Amino acid sequence: INLTANGSSSGTYSWSPPSAFTNPNLQNPSFNGGVNTTSVYTVTFTDVNGCIATDIVTITTEPVPTVTLLVGPNPACVGDNIVLTANPSIAVSEYKFMYNDGAGWNNVTNPAWDINNPVIYNNITQSTQFRVKAREYNGCPNSSWSPTITVTVNPLPTATIAFSETACLGGVVPDLLAYGTLPTWYSDAALTTQVFTGNYFPTGETAVGLYTYYVTESLNGCEGPSVPVTLEIYAIPSAP
């Protein structure tokens, strides 16, 4: 930062506060150090006739941003979409998110600098590192990189082994059975309606019909593919 005073004639200059300058009695003084906060400086000009004029200069400083990164889910499952959220110390204009899956650092978005926050890293398949930096449009330097966060990725369990059942109307209706860890039962193929958790599923069905359920296995918080399981209740045939 350079300060310059211009008097209308010959004379002397004095800047205050004098402690801010290496020599406060110069027309164009140098600062003792960097300017870290918004500051006000006064220059006094005295011409050869002893006439005095003063002026005030205000230097407004903008802080260099810092940024941290929030990542989720972590740990993740194979195929999860990872939400990356930058948390800057001040309002900023753009962000640069990067990932490293073992092949070096790459940009998450295209273009690399982007206004969007948060952003999505789609379909994670292996443990991956993430980082972000931020910048603003005021001429100040970009932030440093955020601390790196590593997302660990757990594999999906294999499909569980399950058994379909049949029964006759009025007879004992067996529970449906699925082996594996934490079986979860659903009434629809989209797996939106959960009806039971556990190995033995008592459906409660008693009417004639074909009932289809879908069961998954979970391991380390990751849910595997579903398996269809049926219960069919037959009508009693008429007597001959």
Side-chain angles (χ1 to χ4, degrees):
I1 299 175
N2 297 315
L3 292 180
T4 301
N6 292 304
S8 59
S9 61
S10 298
T12 60
Y13 297 87
S14 176
W15 291 85
S16 65
S19 60
F21 305 96
T22 55
N23 184 347
N25 299 315
L26 297 177
Q27 180 179 1
N28 306 317
S30 299
F31 285 99
N32 273 326
V35 179
N36 298 317
T37 60
T38 297
S39 304
V40 177
Y41 303 95
T42 301
V43 59
T44 301
F45 173 72
T46 305
D47 69 11
V48 293
N49 298 314
C51 296
I52 296 174
T54 61
D55 199 1
I56 293 175
V57 176
T58 300
I59 297 178
T60 302
T61 60
E62 297 287 347
V64 175
T66 60
V67 64
T68 56
L69 180 63
L70 301 176
V71 176
N74 188 18
C77 303
V78 169
D80 279 350
N81 295 331
I82 307 301
V83 180
L84 308 175
T85 304
N87 184 22
S89 58
I90 59 174
V92 297
S93 304
E94 291 183 325
Y95 305 89
K96 186 176 185 179
F97 294 89
M98 299 193 78
Y99 72 94
N100 181 358
D101 59 6
W105 288 101
N106 294 281
N107 297 316
V108 175
T109 61
N110 184 19
W113 287 99
D114 192 81
I115 63 173
N116 292 315
N117 180 39
V119 299
I120 306 296
Y121 178 82
N122 293 305
N123 191 29
I124 194 168
T125 59
Q126 58 188 316
S127 293
T128 303
Q129 295 178 310
F130 296 95
R131 67 183 184 183
V132 66
K133 67 168 49 178
R135 70 180 180 187
E136 52 184 342
Y137 291 138
N138 59 10
C140 293
N142 301 335
S143 74
S144 300
W145 287 109
S146 67
T148 297
I149 296 179
T150 300
V151 174
T152 58
V153 178
N154 293 318
L156 299 179
T158 57
T160 187
I161 298 174
F163 301 91
S164 296
E165 297 285 355
T166 60
C168 293
L169 181 64
V172 175
V173 178
D175 296 342
L176 298 180
L177 170 62
Y179 292 125
T181 305
L182 298 177
T184 302
W185 300 81
Y186 300 86
S187 61
D188 62 310
L191 309 183
T192 58
T193 305
Q194 181 179 328
V195 292
F196 190 74
T197 301
N199 297 95
Y200 290 92
F201 171 34
T203 65
E205 302 293 353
T206 58
V208 171
L210 177 64
Y211 305 92
T212 303
Y213 300 91
Y214 302 84
V215 61
T216 64
E217 180 180 354
S218 295
L219 184 65
N220 296 322
C222 299
E223 190 172 26
S226 65
V227 173
V229 187
T230 61
L231 168 67
E232 188 167 8
I233 300 177
Y234 300 114
I236 301 295
S238 303

